[in-house]
Amino acid sequence: MSTIMVMRFSRDSFIVISCTYFVNMTSVWCKRLSFKQQFLKFIVFKMSDHEDINSDFQGTESGAAKFFPQQCSALRKNGHVLIKNRPCKIVEMSTSKTGKHGHAKVHMVGIDIFTGKKYEDICPSTHNMSVPLVKRTDYQLIDITDDYASLMDDGGEIRSDLIVPKNETGEELRQKFKSDEGVNVTVLNSMDEEVIIGIKPGTK
């Protein structure tokens, strides 16, 4: 269930205070609340049980959306999707035939873009799944102190909050830093997580 508040300032006009777009709506009804001035309405939408309504609100209340809904049949291999609340790259997809009493089902396999862990999910083709917003940003490596990398962006701002990964990328980054080589790193950002995932030649 989700609630949208609308402020009414005349009999025939009102302003939507907050609104979130949903699809696959199963039923809609209105409920008026009795106040002294009767200037508020609440419109309540009963959504498909397949959608995580709380996650949708968390994604929008923080200011910037972290993901958006997309019909399962529109997802494609090598695209991104949330499986078990983890941002994954789709590596396999297959669709079953429509049965007598239901929709076609889409089976997908995804790899966590941060951990490399494999996830699987099955979803009716007409239902929505959440697609995470994924951003890549390049930084210049300035320093490594206590396992944290100091990185400078194109605007000259420096951040020191990312841990050097404990994998081959991290080892290569440390070696190049010790060799006093100029290094740029690529940082992947999605669902409030950020990880150094790549190295590029840079300038000192």
Side-chain angles (χ1 to χ4, degrees), residues 14-15 19 35-36 42 56-57 59 68 71 79 82 115 130 133 136 157-158 166 170 174 191 193 201-202:
F14 50 88
I15 299 175
C19 178
F35 290 96
K36 289 183 180 180
F42 288 87
D56 282 346
F57 274 98
F68 60 92
Q71 188 165 296
L82 284 180
T115 67
S130 295
L133 297 176
R136 293 171 181 261
E157 295 290 331
I158 296 178
K166 297 179 179 180
R174 290 179 184 277
M191 301 298 293
E193 291 187 51

Side-chain angles (χ1 to χ4, degrees), residues 46 77 115 132 146 177:
K46 182 173 183 284
K77 185 178 178 180
T115 67
D146 297 330
F177 178 70

Side-chain angles (χ1 to χ4, degrees), residues 148-167:
Y148 283 86
S150 294
L151 308 174
M152 184 172 67
D153 63 16
D154 292 338
E157 295 290 331
I158 296 178
R159 58 181 301 184
S160 303
D161 58 335
L162 292 181
I163 296 177
V164 177
K166 297 179 179 180
N167 52 25

Side-chain angles (χ1 to χ4, degrees), residues 26-130:
T26 57
S27 62
V28 180
W29 70 93
C30 295
K31 179 181 179 182
R32 296 195 181 193
L33 300 181
S34 177
F35 290 96
K36 289 183 180 180
Q37 296 180 351
Q38 293 188 356
F39 67 100
L40 292 178
K41 283 185 182 179
F42 288 87
I43 302 175
V44 182
F45 293 88
K46 182 173 183 284
M47 305 302 298
S48 165
D49 291 336
H50 181 76
E51 296 178 346
D52 187 347
I53 304 302
N54 289 331
S55 294
D56 282 346
F57 274 98
Q58 291 172 4
T60 56
E61 286 176 352
S62 61
K66 302 173 187 176
F67 54 86
F68 60 92
Q70 187 170 11
Q71 188 165 296
C72 190
S73 60
L75 297 173
R76 294 292 182 266
K77 185 178 178 180
N78 295 323
H80 295 101
V81 69
L82 284 180
I83 302 179
K84 294 180 172 58
N85 291 321
R86 296 297 304 168
C88 297
K89 181 179 181 179
I90 302 171
V91 294
E92 294 180 28
M93 286 189 72
S94 60
T95 304
S96 65
K97 294 182 179 180
T98 304
K100 294 182 179 179
H101 305 289
H103 303 287
K105 300 289 181 69
V106 177
H107 173 259
M108 64 187 68
V109 178
I111 301 297
D112 191 307
I113 62 175
F114 292 117
T115 67
K117 185 177 179 180
K118 180 179 177 181
Y119 290 92
E120 296 187 50
D121 198 5
I122 297 177
C123 175
S125 61
T126 56
H127 285 203
N128 278 344
M129 294 193 72
S130 295

